[in-house]
Amino acid sequence: MGLNFNGMVKNYAFVFTGQGSQWVGMGKKIYENNENFKRIFDRCEEILNFPLKKLCFEGPIEVLTKTIYAQPAILSFSIGIFEIIKEKIKEKPLCAFGHSLGEFTALYAAKVLSLEDVLEIVKERGKLMNEAGEKFPGSMAALIGIDKEEVEEIIRKKGFKFCVIANYNSPSQIVISGKKEEVDEVTKEIKEKKKGKVIPLAVSAAFHSPLMDEAAEIFSKYIINKNFKKPDFPIIQNATGSAEKEPEIIKRNIMKQLNSPVLFTKCVEKARELGVKKFIEIGPKEILTKLIKETIKEAEVFYIKEEDVF
């Protein structure tokens, strides 16, 4: 079911996808058919100072998938879509949030960060996370249908220091992250128990794990003097699952984000507490609507497709 822009859209939240949603060709049709998107995407490329359009429209995927490029590319795409959609929906959302990288699109949407600042911050974030991946190689694996307490117990019993639950995506899906050998040991034990499903993720770094500690420290120093403004609507933050309106608290929670777990399930539940009935996902691929439905069965979820914005 599509979103009816002609009707009054109320009691909704914007939700923004994160890394992993990139694909070659993303934004090309919209760029060719929508002047507003074209203007914004051109401006994003100018600020980022790398061939954004060529990478998004032509690839190659091996380069587009690199953290240093994927993050600002997904952000630019999502901002372009958001700018079109906000003109169609006159009423403000009750809140906004995202998944990891997606939280930065939410900060832009709520006017916490300017276009220039959010692009520069995410470009630096991608660079630092890319460097961390090269310096401290790691891996990640999605675990579906496996009790999180059981996973925490396996990690605790083995005494692992660098393997953690990185994403709490839904009641039935979590992601572990850390040193490859530790992640492999945990997934091996889970497979031996013949429970649930283990999906290794195609990443070169252990996001949201202690292997990001150094990157998080540098990133915190980088954003400490950045101008975070009061949001137009609450931002639900990954590191805490809380809805925030104070710029300094928002900034402090962003400083924790790189090496803290993504509490996405908690974010969805907090949105429900705020009265959200509809969740509108913006990003290159539909990823979050399924996780939201797994968390709140009665939620109305919508993903904005390319044809919705021509």
Side-chain angles (χ1 to χ4, degrees):
M1 183 176 68
L3 189 64
N4 179 12
F5 294 116
N6 295 321
M8 183 62 79
V9 180
K10 290 184 175 181
N11 301 325
Y12 75 97
F14 279 124
V15 192
F16 300 97
T17 50
Q19 196 168 341
S21 58
Q22 67 279 350
W23 53 279
V24 173
M26 68 187 220
K28 189 171 188 291
K29 284 184 184 174
I30 310 168
Y31 185 87
E32 291 167 350
N33 287 277
N34 188 290
E35 277 301 315
N36 197 13
F37 186 91
K38 182 179 186 298
R39 178 184 57 77
I40 292 159
F41 220 62
D42 285 343
R43 179 65 184 134
C44 289
E45 179 169 272
E46 192 182 310
I47 295 164
L48 291 167
N49 195 28
F50 69 73
L52 174 69
K53 294 195 290 286
K54 184 171 172 50
L55 263 181
C56 289
F57 302 166
E58 301 171 28
I61 190 63
E62 297 79 18
V63 179
L64 181 58
T65 299
K66 286 179 185 282
T67 300
I68 195 166
Y69 297 122
Q71 293 196 12
I74 293 162
L75 173 70
S76 300
F77 176 95
S78 301
I79 285 173
I81 299 292
F82 166 75
E83 286 295 336
I84 297 166
I85 296 304
K86 79 171 189 182
E87 295 303 314
K88 295 174 180 279
I89 305 173
K90 300 306 179 189
E91 187 145 329
K92 276 187 187 178
L94 294 179
C95 60
F97 59 106
H99 193 288
S100 191
L101 164 68
E103 186 168 340
F104 290 86
T105 322
L107 295 179
Y108 170 80
K111 297 182 182 172
V112 174
L113 291 170
S114 68
L115 182 66
E116 289 78 8
D117 278 349
V118 77
L119 286 165
E120 285 166 5
I121 286 169
V122 165
K123 186 179 180 182
E124 181 68 12
R125 182 183 189 262
K127 179 174 84 73
L128 290 170
M129 291 172 80
N130 196 67
E131 287 169 355
E134 289 170 355
K135 191 172 179 182
F136 309 108
S139 66
M140 301 177 75
L143 311 178
I144 299 166
I146 299 154
D147 189 70
K148 65 179 186 287
E149 283 82 11
E150 193 171 338
V151 177
E152 286 164 347
E153 180 61 16
I154 292 168
I155 293 169
R156 191 191 62 75
K157 270 195 320 187
K158 290 183 178 291
F160 289 156
K161 303 294 181 199
F162 297 98
C163 178
V164 295
I165 299 179
N167 300 350
Y168 294 85
N169 286 339
S170 78
S172 66
Q173 186 190 126
I174 57 174
V175 173
I176 58 171
S177 176
K179 278 188 176 177
K180 187 177 187 308
E181 55 270 30
E182 293 188 359
V183 170
D184 287 350
E185 274 285 308
V186 173
T187 56
K188 183 178 172 223
E189 183 160 332
I190 288 165
K191 285 174 184 173
E192 284 169 358
K193 291 174 183 285
K194 292 185 167 55
K195 281 186 176 179
K197 192 174 179 184
V198 175
I199 304 170
L201 301 183
V203 294
S204 58
F207 303 138
H208 302 287
S209 82
L211 296 184
M212 288 287 139
D213 285 354
E214 190 178 294
E217 190 177 336
I218 299 166
F219 185 65
S220 293
K221 288 173 184 169
Y222 176 78
I223 67 166
I224 190 75
N225 293 317
K226 290 288 183 184
N227 184 22
F228 278 52
K229 295 176 183 166
K230 196 170 182 66
D232 277 4
F233 38 81
I235 299 292
I236 305 178
Q237 299 200 264
N238 286 180
T240 59
S242 58
E244 301 297 349
K245 293 180 184 175
E246 291 305 316
E248 285 309 308
I249 295 173
I250 291 170
K251 186 188 286 188
R252 202 156 61 235
N253 288 335
I254 285 291
M255 288 175 177
K256 297 175 189 172
Q257 201 220 45
L258 287 193
N259 55 347
S260 294
V262 175
L263 305 178
F264 190 74
T265 308
K266 200 171 174 185
C267 291
V268 174
E269 288 167 346
K270 174 55 71 174
R272 176 167 58 183
E273 278 179 36
L274 295 177
V276 171
K277 301 283 193 295
K278 296 182 178 72
F279 295 81
I280 302 173
E281 179 180 1
I282 292 175
K285 275 185 190 170
E286 184 175 10
I287 291 174
L288 303 176
T289 55
K290 185 184 174 195
L291 301 178
I292 292 165
K293 283 294 277 185
E294 285 176 9
T295 305
I296 305 174
K297 289 183 173 55
E298 69 276 14
E300 292 181 67
V301 295
F302 305 91
Y303 170 68
I304 304 299
K305 301 183 183 72
E306 285 193 347
E307 55 266 31
D308 294 329
V309 297
F310 283 174

